[in-house]
Every structure is written in structure tokens, then in C-alpha cells.
Amino acid sequence: MLSSQNANNRKNDKKPVSGSRLTADKPIPYGRQNITEEDIQTVIETLKSDYLTQGPKIAEFETAFAKYVGSKYAVAVSNGTAALHLCAMALNVKEGDKVITTPITFAASANCVRYCGGEVVFADIDPETYLLDITKVRELLEASPKGTYKGIIPVDFAGRAVDLEAFRNLANEYDLWIIEDSCHAPGGYFMDSDANKQHCGNGNFADLAIFSFHPVKHIACGEGGMITTNDEKLYEKLLQLRTHGIVKDEKKYKNTSAFAIGSTVMSGATVMSGTTVRSSAVDVMSSGDETYPNWYMEMQDLGYNYRLTDFQAALGISQLKRADEGLTKRREIAATYEKAFVGKKFIKGQSGVVEGHAYHLYVLEVENRLGLYNYLREHNIFAQIHYIPCHLMPYYRGFGWKEGDMPNAENYYKQCISLPMFPTLTDEEQSFVIERINEFYNV
Ligand SMILES: Cc1ncc(COP(=O)(O)O)c(C=O)c1O
């Protein structure tokens, strides 16, 4: 059954077009989740357990995910956007801070900067890789006094891993932090200058990395996200911000235990039976070795409720076990597309076969993109466009961004189309997609 929320703009009742050599008797979306019986049983078990949220599945998912990407720490959150927001907060993005990102991404990569009052500065993409072009980033940095920019948010767009070693070197020159938006690339990697595999989100180069568990992504939780890092301080900050800025650790409390117990306040006033009386001999400061009652906690910063539930985490744990299997299938699908389209006249570019690519998307750049898109829809194939350049969204136009600012991204947008790419896409379905595309271009 291929009905899925992922091609949510399609018409579900669409019948296959008669007269075509092959028919898709069910819609083929560009991406979809793969839920097995084991996934379902795991979720059911958690639903029957004591914890629907704030239970043991969260830490279990975090530990398994950190191991998968090779990072020290992981923090599970409610979605990828929340992950980005918390990262920007943890890195202290504030009013007027300039942060560089790519225009070919989902808006959330840029929006997290705006949530904190920062300014988004777009730099163009490399037309070959579709990723943020490091030479454009360097140009921006060189054109302003040091300190103008605070950070960079490169995106492993479509699943292709950014060369973070190169970005780290550049960031170090200008004292910048890096948030790797790896929503498209769990399991992806690039080869570093010593020919070592560097997995997306492993924390070796970026300060923080984020992932999304939306159903079109590699691992589906319904909604869900993860932040990975090797920085202990950032990790602790993220844990706090995920839950309202609340701290539950005696060693970190700012109020005294006397206050916590309910007998003394920090001002030196003693509260008894609802009456406040001044007291001259109250020990008002924390000595570090007092005992706080079990109920006590402190909200020390302004945080959010960005928690993942335990049943979502249970689904994530179960899905993660099959992540490599899914990745292998995605790479096979990519190889088949590449072989089918390489050298074709109507092809202006394609994702191709690239080592370490995690293939969340398989992109073609084509002539007459609108015609192809509509033709595929008529045949029950729901390709998608990723992305409308972020700087030309009306919201960002409002900051002065305009057509012509990012020529590579804008040219890419005019001809890109994302083909069906998900592990349960059958050979027959993929052949159907390829044949319809060739048919459209009369080849
Ligand atoms: C590159 C990128 N960043 C961030 C997000 C936001 O993730 P979520 O939808 O889980 O909030 C997405 C989701 O589509 C994405 O593709």
C-alpha cells in the first residue's frame, strides 16, 4: 500500500492513465516511511509500559543513535526544527548575529537563526554538488571585518555529505561555530584529507549536528529529531533547554536548600506558616553540601518543551536497526537512476553515484521540468521539487533578498526534480518511473 502522507498534495483517487505500457496501480510518492510488524510491536509494548514520555526509551534511542553516527552525545527532541532552534539557542545566537547558510534547503535551516533574532546570510550553492559553496562562504567572510559572522549552517542536502573538514578549517580562521544540518543524511559520510570516513553528525568537525525523523526521512518517528555533539557543555545545555530550561541536579542549584525545603528564602527572610519574618541569622547562600528535597528543581533558563515521546523513541530505535539496510537500498536505487539517465540529452545534471551519499533524494536537473512533473503526476508518480530557494521565500525577500542574488541556486531551482527514492520502491516501480521519463522526452 503506497498511500502516504508524504505526497500529500496528490489526488488519492487518481487512476492510472490508460494506454501506457506499464501502469502504476498505486501512487508512487517521492519518499515514504517503511514500517514493519516489528516496529509496530515495539511501539505497542511502549504504549503498554509505565512511560509514554520522559521514560527509558529516550536514553536508549540517544545512545543507539550516537553510536550509529559516531558521536559522544545525542539529545532526542520533538522534530528537526526544534533541534535547530535548540542548537541556535545553545550557541547563544542573539539579536543581529549573522549566520551563513545555503538557499537550497528546507526553510528551517535558516529559520532557527531568526527564532533567536539573528540575521540569515545566504551564500550560493556549488552547481555540481548542490551544497553550500565554501568559496562563496570564504568570499563573504573576507569581505567583512573578523567577528561579523558568528556561525555557518551547512546542509547535507539530498543526503550528500558536506566536506566539514574544509568548513572547520575555514570556521577556525574566523572563529565561527558550525551546525551541520544532517536531516537528509544519517549514515552518510565524506572522506577526510587522511582518507578516513567521516560520518555525518559524528561531531569531529561541527559543533552540533541535527537530524529529522519525519516519515520521508531515513528513520521515521512520525515527528522527531536528534542533536549530536562531542561537546559536553553544549550537550548539558541542550538537555536543559529541551525541558523548559529546568535543572535537576543538586550541584547546579542556585537557590539554597533551606529555600528548597520551604523554610528560608535567599533574601534572608524566614517563611513560617505563611508569615514572613525577617531573620538576621539565616544561612542564605548555598554551601554546596546541603540536601535538597526530592521534588525540587530549578528553571534556570528560558527553555521549551521539545521532548520526544517514549513511543516515538521506541519506533526510532526499531527503525534505526534497519537504517543500514535502507541505505544500501537507496544506493542501489541511485545507481539504477544514474545508469538510466547518464548521457541523456534532456539531463542537465543529476545526483549521480557519489561515495558516502545517503540519498534522501535523487535529483535530476532537466529541460521542461514543469512538463515532466505534470506528466509524471498523470501517471501516478508524485515527484517533488527540493527546494524553492529559501532566500526567495516572501519572508526572506522581506529582508531584501531578490532574484539574481544566488544565480546557481536559482538556476538549479528552474530545472530540479526529485524522483521517487525510498527503500521499499520496487524494481518494477522504478522501471515504470524511468520509462515514463524517457517516454516524456521521446527517447
Ligand atoms: C534540511 C532540513 N532541515 C530541517 C528540517 C526540519 O525537520 P522537521 O520537519 O523534523 O522539523 C527538514 C525537514 O524537512 C529538512 O529537510
Side-chain angles (χ1 to χ4, degrees):
M1 226 272 292
L2 273 185
S3 80
S4 142
Q5 67 193 82
N6 309 322
N8 50 15
N9 51 356
R10 70 179 150 68
K11 298 186 182 75
N12 284 319
D13 57 353
K14 202 139 194 156
K15 294 281 182 304
V17 171
S18 61
S20 58
R21 280 170 286 138
L22 286 165
T23 56
D25 57 2
K26 52 196 177 181
I28 306 177
Y30 83 89
R32 82 174 314 261
Q33 69 275 17
N34 176 18
I35 304 293
T36 63
E37 200 46 48
E38 197 184 336
D39 291 336
I40 293 166
Q41 285 314 318
T42 311
V43 174
I44 289 172
E45 270 168 38
T46 307
L47 288 173
K48 289 178 178 170
S49 78
D50 288 340
Y51 292 95
L52 295 190
T53 191
Q54 293 176 280
K57 289 291 167 194
I58 302 302
E60 194 182 325
F61 188 26
E62 289 170 341
T63 304
F65 195 84
K67 189 167 173 225
Y68 183 67
V69 301
S71 69
K72 275 195 194 156
Y73 308 104
V75 179
V77 291
S78 45
N79 54 63
T81 307
L84 283 160
H85 186 189
L86 290 190
C87 288
M89 286 178 75
L91 290 164
N92 202 24
V93 174
K94 52 190 185 318
E95 197 73 29
D97 282 358
K98 287 184 197 287
V99 176
I100 301 169
T101 193
T102 167
I104 297 300
T105 187
F106 185 61
S109 316
N111 293 350
C112 64
V113 177
R114 295 293 309 131
Y115 296 155
C116 298
E119 185 186 328
V120 180
V121 180
F122 294 100
D124 210 351
I125 59 162
D126 174 336
E128 296 300 315
T129 63
Y130 314 147
L131 305 178
L132 181 63
D133 186 343
I134 195 164
T135 60
K136 302 281 185 229
V137 177
R138 180 175 281 285
E139 280 168 23
L140 272 177
L141 295 172
E142 284 173 353
S144 303
K146 230 173 166 173
T148 303
Y149 294 91
K150 302 293 179 209
I152 314 174
I153 307 180
V155 178
D156 299 316
F157 169 70
R160 184 171 181 149
V162 168
D163 180 349
L164 282 180
E165 185 183 27
F167 271 99
R168 181 77 266 166
N169 290 337
L170 180 62
N172 286 350
E173 278 181 54
Y174 288 86
D175 216 4
L176 307 176
W177 48 254
I178 297 174
I179 301 172
E180 177 188 13
D181 181 338
S182 200
C183 282
H184 297 184
Y189 63 87
F190 71 94
M191 302 303 289
D192 70 12
S193 52
D194 293 324
N196 293 318
K197 280 185 190 175
Q198 294 289 347
H199 280 92
C200 298
N202 71 6
N204 286 347
F205 302 102
D207 298 85
L208 296 163
I210 68 109
F211 297 85
S212 162
F213 305 131
H214 181 274
V216 289
K217 304 296 196 299
H218 294 60
I219 294 159
C221 290
E223 297 284 353
M226 192 73 80
I227 306 168
T228 58
T229 185
N230 289 345
D231 184 318
E232 192 179 355
K233 279 211 171 79
L234 285 174
Y235 168 65
E236 283 177 1
K237 186 89 191 155
L238 290 165
L239 289 179
Q240 188 187 340
L241 293 173
R242 174 179 67 181
T243 303
H244 306 279
I246 287 172
V247 172
K248 211 167 178 346
D249 176 354
E250 242 179 70
K251 290 189 276 321
K252 294 184 181 154
Y253 289 154
K254 296 187 178 173
N255 287 332
T256 63
S257 60
F259 164 77
I261 291 160
S263 61
T264 311
V265 292
M266 287 190 67
S267 64
T270 303
V271 183
M272 295 177 78
S273 309
T275 325
T276 303
V277 259
R278 301 290 317 161
S279 164
S280 55
V282 178
D283 175 17
V284 292
M285 296 314 292
S286 166
S287 64
D289 58 9
E290 44 306 65
T291 305
Y292 288 80
N294 228 345
W295 72 74
Y296 192 70
M297 53 81 176
E298 286 184 356
M299 188 210 123
Q300 295 188 348
D301 275 308
L302 188 62
Y304 293 84
N305 177 354
Y306 279 165
R307 294 188 297 263
L308 191 71
T309 65
D310 271 52
F311 48 96
Q312 288 171 310
L315 181 55
I317 294 163
S318 186
Q319 291 258 305
L320 186 59
K321 291 182 188 152
R322 297 197 315 281
D324 279 339
E325 202 181 293
L327 207 50
T328 303
K329 189 72 200 345
R330 285 172 186 273
R331 287 176 176 151
E332 283 168 14
I333 293 168
T336 304
Y337 278 139
E338 205 252 356
K339 207 164 144 212
F341 297 121
V342 70
K344 290 269 164 76
K345 230 179 117 235
F346 59 88
I347 295 289
K348 305 286 169 203
Q350 59 173 324
S351 290
V353 171
V354 175
E355 179 166 7
H357 202 306
Y359 295 107
H360 162 53
L361 304 173
Y362 194 91
V363 178
L364 291 188
E365 290 180 272
V366 292
E367 286 170 1
N368 190 5
R369 188 264 311 271
L370 177 63
L372 176 64
Y373 174 83
N374 287 334
Y375 189 76
L376 293 178
R377 282 178 76 88
E378 283 168 22
H379 288 81
N380 244 355
I381 299 165
F382 295 88
Q384 257 298 0
I385 307 305
H386 299 95
Y387 287 99
I388 301 162
C390 205
H391 68 292
L392 298 178
M393 287 291 174
Y395 176 77
Y396 284 103
R397 282 184 195 255
F399 292 88
W401 296 99
K402 57 186 186 320
E403 269 147 277
D405 284 346
M406 303 282 129
N408 293 339
E410 292 164 34
N411 185 52
Y412 164 85
Y413 169 61
K414 287 177 189 153
Q415 48 198 26
C416 68
I417 185 162
S418 307
L419 302 184
M421 168 57 84
F422 49 93
T424 53
L425 184 73
T426 64
D427 292 350
E428 194 192 9
E429 287 170 325
Q430 191 178 12
S431 300
F432 180 72
V433 172
I434 293 168
E435 285 184 29
R436 297 289 74 74
I437 295 172
N438 284 334
E439 189 174 81
F440 178 74
Y441 290 104
N442 286 319
V443 288

